Amino acid sequence: MTGFDSESSSGGFSEASQRVAAVMCVDSGRSNGVGKAGERPPRENGIQKHRTSLPAPMFTRSDFSVWSILKKCIGLELSKITMPIAFNEPLSFLQRITEYMEHVDLIHRASCQPQALERMQCVAAFAVSAVASQWERTGKPFNPLLGETYELIREDLGFRFISEQVSHHPPISAFYSEGLHQDFLFHGSIYPKLKFWGKSVEAEPRGTITLELLKHNEAYTWTNPTCCVHNVIIGKLWIEQYGTVEIVNHRTGDKCVLHFKPCGLFGKELHKVEGHIQDKNKKKLFMIYGKWTECLWGIDPAAYESFKKRERRGDHLSKPQPDDSSQKADGDVADAVPEVQETVQVIPGSKLLWRVNTRPPNSAQMYNFTSFTVSLNELQSGMEKTLAPTDCRLRPDIRGMENGDMDLASQEKERLEEKQREARRERAEQEAEWQTRWFHQGSNPHTGAPDWLYAGGYFERNFSRCPDIY
């Protein structure tokens, strides 16, 4: 899978502009509730600095065969299967969820829009951007331990975030984020259903995601698309996302329907997203198209249809198609890696809704992390004093892997998993139920579906009742 040209021309939607967007349309005089300045790491020009690389380069996976483990698991749910640490990346799944926030500037921009249609455009772009960091991310995040947490405060991007592993079987991760200027709430619970299908692993992220724009008294809900990693046994790993995502504005009845296209026979649809925004009477108001790895554009429905008609009338020369002999093979032959097609063809009159951030030049040696992702497990001086003792940054197996000590990481992973099993046995003997700390079960206030809701209080930093999980 090759890179794409448009990354080099970011169209101005860089992390620097995210910082600007974070303070647009907000009352800068309000307190953000982060805590004492002395408890945070040092800053330069008022902006907290974050690391730009990992302590050690990525560990090669070429010496490991996953087939010996997975051959017994075809068609089964993978959450109970222990995988060798070589197939991990040095992040917890709770930190992977936090990557939804990389393009939080789109939420701030949505909050600033006076019209509901423009707000939905920004929310749709945010929903697509939330999965963009998964491009070429073939490492498996660590399964969170029961009671594990992760917090992130980004004053430069205008939000704070807290997540907790609220259930182990089934594995459920609950999260809650809020704008530091009281402009939004973003929350949900994710139950990643993983299945192995012979050559590929499919991850279906069950659970509702909710975004509330407080200034407009609006709530939007949606579910993420399915992610599939191909060639887990043999060949080059590659990723696709597919399925239909429906974003509902519960105040207006507007809906955005986004189709994440499966790859298709010759890879023509790889990474493509197409859809539209409709009102409560199902009248199409706006067309959306692009790639989840690259960018998202939108245009008026009449201009879109006019362009498509002209395109159909045009005499296009048929392009030579690649040899598909490898597609027909079974057994130990890898799924052919589709070539990334030409970048998105922009229809005249289209509006750019979002463009992905350029990845750092050393990304390939860092598990294909984005710049935002590289900073997630950073443990800056003084952090241990303010973090909950259950925070992912304090997990010794993830820390060992990040530092390149695979033997230590593997030993610590086994120790932590055994410690968790022992704690479960003790609860069973005492007939004691596990008590979550920061979230409780309830119903989503907008859909009525079962959900995990934030109980509040985390940032008051009373961690006396936190369990000892490490």
Side-chain angles (χ1 to χ4, degrees), residues 393-404:
R393 295 177 186 88
L394 306 176
R395 262 188 80 157
D397 52 352
I398 297 178
R399 184 63 56 194
M401 184 178 192
E402 181 182 278
N403 290 332

Side-chain angles (χ1 to χ4, degrees), residues 47-284:
I47 298 295
Q48 184 178 320
K49 294 184 71 178
H50 297 276
R51 69 183 182 185
T52 56
S53 64
L54 297 179
M58 177 178 166
F59 183 80
T60 178
R61 300 189 179 110
S62 58
D63 298 333
F64 288 82
S65 169
V66 74
W67 178 239
S68 60
I69 296 153
L70 289 184
K71 63 185 176 184
K72 302 170 187 171
C73 309
I74 294 176
L76 299 180
E77 215 272 316
L78 289 184
S79 65
K80 297 182 182 181
I81 308 300
T82 300
M83 298 285 285
I85 206 164
F87 296 99
N88 283 68
E89 61 178 22
L91 287 179
S92 167
F93 183 70
L94 297 182
Q95 292 164 312
R96 178 70 84 93
I97 291 174
T98 313
E99 293 181 67
Y100 291 167
M101 306 304 292
E102 176 163 355
H103 293 276
V104 69
D105 62 301
L106 293 164
I107 298 181
H108 296 305
R109 195 180 308 160
S111 188
C112 295
Q113 302 303 317
Q115 301 299 322
L117 177 58
E118 279 72 26
R119 291 195 293 276
M120 180 64 93
Q121 291 169 13
C122 295
V123 174
F126 175 74
V128 173
S129 79
V131 300
S133 68
Q134 294 186 27
W135 179 62
E136 295 205 320
R137 291 278 293 285
T138 52
K140 176 184 177 294
F142 282 70
N143 292 334
L145 301 166
L146 185 60
E148 185 173 310
T149 60
Y150 181 71
E151 70 162 270
L152 184 66
I153 299 172
R154 287 292 296 260
E155 294 170 74
D156 55 335
L157 302 181
F159 75 89
R160 63 185 185 182
F161 182 101
I162 172 63
S163 55
E164 178 182 5
Q165 191 69 5
V166 293
S167 172
H168 188 59
H169 289 307
I172 301 175
S173 309
F175 68 90
Y176 170 87
S177 181
E178 60 190 20
L180 296 179
H181 301 280
Q182 293 77 45
D183 53 341
F184 76 87
L185 301 177
F186 177 60
H187 52 94
S189 47
I190 305 292
Y191 167 18
K193 191 94 174 163
L194 300 176
K195 278 198 172 178
F196 174 55
W197 296 114
K199 295 179 188 174
S200 60
V201 172
E202 189 177 73
E204 180 190 347
R206 298 182 179 184
T208 302
I209 293 172
T210 303
L211 172 65
E212 300 180 37
L213 298 180
L214 302 178
K215 200 181 296 183
H216 303 282
N217 194 28
E218 283 181 342
Y220 302 78
T221 58
W222 69 91
T223 300
N224 277 337
T226 295
C227 178
C228 188
V229 181
H230 292 267
N231 294 341
V232 292
I233 307 302
I234 187 172
K236 179 176 168 57
L237 291 161
W238 60 277
I239 288 177
E240 64 175 329
Q241 309 255 7
Y242 45 77
T244 299
V245 172
E246 290 193 353
I247 306 168
V248 179
N249 181 332
H250 291 269
R251 186 180 68 82
T252 65
D254 292 352
K255 182 186 287 186
C256 179
V257 181
L258 296 171
H259 302 288
F260 284 73
K261 302 286 189 120
C263 170
L265 187 57
F266 300 112
K268 289 183 177 177
E269 303 292 296
L270 184 66
H271 302 156
K272 280 190 179 178
V273 181
E274 291 179 358
H276 64 271
I277 298 172
Q278 64 187 39
D279 65 16
K280 61 184 177 183
N281 299 315
K282 298 189 177 180
K283 178 187 175 185
K284 289 184 180 179

Side-chain angles (χ1 to χ4, degrees), residues 184-449:
F184 76 87
L185 301 177
F186 177 60
H187 52 94
S189 47
I190 305 292
Y191 167 18
K193 191 94 174 163
L194 300 176
K195 278 198 172 178
F196 174 55
W197 296 114
K199 295 179 188 174
S200 60
V201 172
E202 189 177 73
E204 180 190 347
R206 298 182 179 184
T208 302
I209 293 172
T210 303
L211 172 65
E212 300 180 37
L213 298 180
L214 302 178
K215 200 181 296 183
H216 303 282
N217 194 28
E218 283 181 342
Y220 302 78
T221 58
W222 69 91
T223 300
N224 277 337
T226 295
C227 178
C228 188
V229 181
H230 292 267
N231 294 341
V232 292
I233 307 302
I234 187 172
K236 179 176 168 57
L237 291 161
W238 60 277
I239 288 177
E240 64 175 329
Q241 309 255 7
Y242 45 77
T244 299
V245 172
E246 290 193 353
I247 306 168
V248 179
N249 181 332
H250 291 269
R251 186 180 68 82
T252 65
D254 292 352
K255 182 186 287 186
C256 179
V257 181
L258 296 171
H259 302 288
F260 284 73
K261 302 286 189 120
C263 170
L265 187 57
F266 300 112
K268 289 183 177 177
E269 303 292 296
L270 184 66
H271 302 156
K272 280 190 179 178
V273 181
E274 291 179 358
H276 64 271
I277 298 172
Q278 64 187 39
D279 65 16
K280 61 184 177 183
N281 299 315
K282 298 189 177 180
K283 178 187 175 185
K284 289 184 180 179
L285 305 175
F286 195 72
M287 306 302 291
I288 293 174
Y289 64 96
K291 291 184 178 180
W292 61 266
T293 54
E294 184 176 337
C295 58
L296 208 61
W297 296 83
I299 193 169
D300 174 78
Y304 182 84
E305 290 304 323
S306 173
F307 178 84
K308 288 295 181 185
K309 280 179 184 173
R310 289 198 307 274
E311 193 178 48
R312 285 192 291 270
R313 282 201 304 266
D315 294 321
H316 296 294
L317 294 171
S318 59
K319 295 181 181 178
Q321 292 175 328
D323 177 11
D324 68 327
S325 58
S326 62
Q327 306 260 345
K328 299 171 184 171
D330 284 316
D332 288 338
V333 178
D335 289 336
V337 180
E339 290 185 21
V340 174
Q341 303 296 311
E342 67 277 0
T343 53
V344 176
Q345 181 183 10
V346 180
I347 301 170
S350 293
K351 166 185 177 183
L352 180 64
L353 302 179
W354 161 78
R355 196 186 295 280
V356 74
N357 287 330
T358 306
R359 292 200 177 176
N362 51 347
S363 179
Q365 286 77 51
M366 300 189 302
Y367 307 87
N368 291 310
F369 284 0
T370 67
S371 296
F372 180 84
T373 309
V374 166
S375 69
L376 291 179
N377 202 47
E378 186 175 12
L379 191 61
Q380 293 169 321
S381 62
M383 257 191 181
E384 299 99 322
K385 297 175 184 174
T386 58
L387 289 175
T390 48
D391 194 279
C392 307
R393 295 177 186 88
L394 306 176
R395 262 188 80 157
D397 52 352
I398 297 178
R399 184 63 56 194
M401 184 178 192
E402 181 182 278
N403 290 332
D405 191 337
M406 300 299 285
D407 290 339
L408 174 66
S410 188
Q411 291 164 13
E412 286 293 337
K413 182 170 178 280
E414 288 179 23
R415 182 184 67 80
L416 293 175
E417 288 169 351
E418 180 52 40
K419 182 178 172 73
Q420 181 169 243
R421 284 190 287 268
E422 179 59 33
R424 189 162 62 243
R425 285 191 291 267
E426 287 180 11
R427 286 196 303 276
E429 288 171 7
Q430 298 167 9
E431 298 183 350
E433 289 286 319
W434 173 261
Q435 299 294 318
T436 54
R437 184 69 181 85
W438 308 110
F439 292 82
H440 62 85
Q441 280 185 294
S443 298
N444 185 290
H446 310 290
T447 66

